Amino acid sequence: MNINIGGSIILTLLIAAAVLLAPMIFTENPQSVYEQINELRAEHGLSALVWDDQLAAQAQAHSEWMKESGSFNHSNYNVYENINMGGSSVESWMNSPPHQAILLSPNITRCGVGIAGQYATFQAE
Protein backbone atom coordinates (compact mmCIF):
# COMPACT_ATOMS: atom_id res chain seq x y z
CA MET A 1 0.00 0.00 0.00
CA ASN A 2 1.35 3.42 -0.98
CA ILE A 3 0.32 6.50 1.00
CA ASN A 4 1.16 9.83 -0.57
CA ILE A 5 1.40 12.69 1.88
CA GLY A 6 1.81 16.11 0.35
CA GLY A 7 5.21 17.75 0.60
CA SER A 8 3.83 20.71 2.51
CA ILE A 9 2.48 18.44 5.26
CA ILE A 10 5.86 16.74 5.65
CA LEU A 11 7.63 20.10 5.70
CA THR A 12 5.21 21.38 8.35
CA LEU A 13 5.84 18.29 10.49
CA LEU A 14 9.62 18.68 10.15
CA ILE A 15 9.46 22.34 11.15
CA ALA A 16 7.25 21.53 14.14
CA ALA A 17 9.68 18.80 15.24
CA ALA A 18 12.64 21.18 14.93
CA VAL A 19 10.89 23.83 17.04
CA LEU A 20 9.98 21.31 19.74
CA LEU A 21 13.44 19.71 19.82
CA ALA A 22 15.49 22.92 19.61
CA PRO A 23 15.75 23.38 23.40
CA MET A 24 17.11 19.85 23.72
CA ILE A 25 19.88 20.32 21.14
CA PHE A 26 21.17 23.70 22.30
CA THR A 27 24.93 23.48 21.89
CA GLU A 28 26.48 26.73 23.17
CA ASN A 29 29.33 26.29 25.62
CA PRO A 30 30.83 28.67 28.19
CA GLN A 31 34.23 28.91 26.52
CA SER A 32 32.80 29.90 23.12
CA VAL A 33 30.55 32.54 24.71
CA TYR A 34 33.54 33.92 26.64
CA GLU A 35 35.64 34.06 23.46
CA GLN A 36 32.85 35.78 21.50
CA ILE A 37 32.49 38.42 24.22
CA ASN A 38 36.20 39.16 24.20
CA GLU A 39 36.21 39.38 20.39
CA LEU A 40 33.42 41.97 20.58
CA ARG A 41 35.23 43.90 23.29
CA ALA A 42 38.38 43.99 21.13
CA GLU A 43 36.34 45.25 18.17
CA HIS A 44 35.15 48.11 20.41
CA GLY A 45 38.64 48.95 21.68
CA LEU A 46 38.08 47.42 25.11
CA SER A 47 40.38 45.12 27.05
CA ALA A 48 39.65 41.41 27.24
CA LEU A 49 37.89 40.07 30.30
CA VAL A 50 39.78 37.61 32.48
CA TRP A 51 38.02 34.30 33.18
CA ASP A 52 37.09 34.02 36.86
CA ASP A 53 36.37 30.52 38.20
CA GLN A 54 34.21 31.80 41.06
CA LEU A 55 32.00 33.87 38.74
CA ALA A 56 31.82 30.92 36.35
CA ALA A 57 30.70 28.63 39.18
CA GLN A 58 28.01 31.13 40.23
CA ALA A 59 26.88 31.54 36.62
CA GLN A 60 26.77 27.77 36.15
CA ALA A 61 24.76 27.28 39.34
CA HIS A 62 22.30 29.95 38.23
CA SER A 63 21.88 28.42 34.76
CA GLU A 64 21.28 25.02 36.33
CA TRP A 65 18.71 26.54 38.69
CA MET A 66 16.86 28.15 35.76
CA LYS A 67 16.88 24.85 33.87
CA GLU A 68 15.64 22.80 36.83
CA SER A 69 13.00 25.31 37.92
CA GLY A 70 11.91 26.38 34.44
CA SER A 71 12.34 29.97 35.63
CA PHE A 72 13.96 32.75 33.64
CA ASN A 73 15.06 35.26 36.25
CA HIS A 74 18.22 37.04 37.30
CA SER A 75 20.19 35.80 40.29
CA ASN A 76 20.55 37.63 43.59
CA TYR A 77 24.33 37.97 43.23
CA ASN A 78 25.66 41.52 43.36
CA VAL A 79 27.34 41.35 39.92
CA TYR A 80 26.73 42.52 36.38
CA GLU A 81 24.61 39.79 34.84
CA ASN A 82 23.04 38.81 31.53
CA ILE A 83 20.84 35.74 31.11
CA ASN A 84 19.57 34.10 27.94
CA MET A 85 17.28 31.25 26.99
CA GLY A 86 17.93 29.52 23.65
CA GLY A 87 19.63 30.81 20.55
CA SER A 88 22.90 32.69 20.44
CA SER A 89 23.44 34.33 23.81
CA VAL A 90 25.96 36.91 22.61
CA GLU A 91 23.83 37.82 19.60
CA SER A 92 20.76 38.24 21.81
CA TRP A 93 22.64 40.38 24.32
CA MET A 94 24.18 42.56 21.61
CA ASN A 95 20.69 43.21 20.19
CA SER A 96 19.50 44.53 23.57
CA PRO A 97 20.98 47.92 24.56
CA PRO A 98 20.99 47.26 28.35
CA HIS A 99 22.64 43.85 27.88
CA GLN A 100 25.08 45.19 25.31
CA ALA A 101 26.07 47.93 27.78
CA ILE A 102 27.08 45.25 30.28
CA LEU A 103 29.16 43.28 27.75
CA LEU A 104 30.91 46.44 26.56
CA SER A 105 31.30 48.11 29.93
CA PRO A 106 34.82 49.46 30.54
CA ASN A 107 34.14 48.99 34.27
CA ILE A 108 34.32 45.18 34.26
CA THR A 109 37.55 43.19 34.18
CA ARG A 110 36.63 39.58 34.90
CA CYS A 111 33.76 37.27 34.12
CA GLY A 112 32.34 33.78 34.11
CA VAL A 113 29.77 32.02 31.95
CA GLY A 114 27.54 29.09 32.84
CA ILE A 115 25.27 27.08 30.55
CA ALA A 116 22.72 24.39 31.38
CA GLY A 117 20.55 23.17 28.53
CA GLN A 118 19.16 26.24 26.81
CA TYR A 119 19.88 28.59 29.74
CA ALA A 120 22.98 30.81 29.77
CA THR A 121 24.27 33.17 32.43
CA PHE A 122 27.07 35.73 32.10
CA GLN A 123 28.37 37.33 35.30
CA ALA A 124 31.06 39.99 35.57
CA GLU A 125 32.73 42.32 38.02
Side-chain angles (χ1 to χ4, degrees):
M1 173 154 93
N2 233 353
I3 300 175
N4 186 6
I5 300 176
S8 62
I9 293 174
I10 291 173
L11 181 59
T12 301
L13 291 173
L14 288 173
I15 291 170
V19 168
L20 291 172
L21 294 174
M24 293 183 263
I25 57 174
F26 188 64
T27 59
E28 254 185 342
N29 68 69
Q31 186 64 33
S32 69
V33 170
Y34 169 69
E35 290 169 2
Q36 290 174 56
I37 291 167
N38 276 334
E39 288 171 12
L40 285 167
R41 289 178 63 83
E43 289 171 12
H44 288 85
L46 297 165
S47 60
L49 298 175
V50 174
W51 183 265
D52 183 288
D53 288 335
Q54 182 178 349
L55 290 172
Q58 285 178 182
Q60 185 63 40
H62 186 66
S63 291
E64 289 174 9
W65 173 80
M66 288 191 295
K67 179 183 176 188
E68 291 169 11
S69 67
S71 297
F72 185 65
N73 296 303
H74 285 277
S75 71
N76 292 323
Y77 295 112
N78 189 22
V79 295
Y80 291 94
E81 180 179 78
N82 287 344
I83 59 175
N84 188 55
M85 183 174 65
S88 168
S89 296
V90 175
E91 183 179 326
S92 295
W93 294 329
M94 288 301 288
N95 288 326
S96 166
H99 295 95
Q100 182 185 77
I102 290 173
L103 295 182
L104 301 180
S105 172
N107 300 322
I108 59 176
T109 58
R110 52 198 185 94
C111 73
V113 177
I115 296 178
Q118 65 178 342
Y119 296 92
T121 304
F122 166 82
Q123 293 186 346
E125 293 182 326

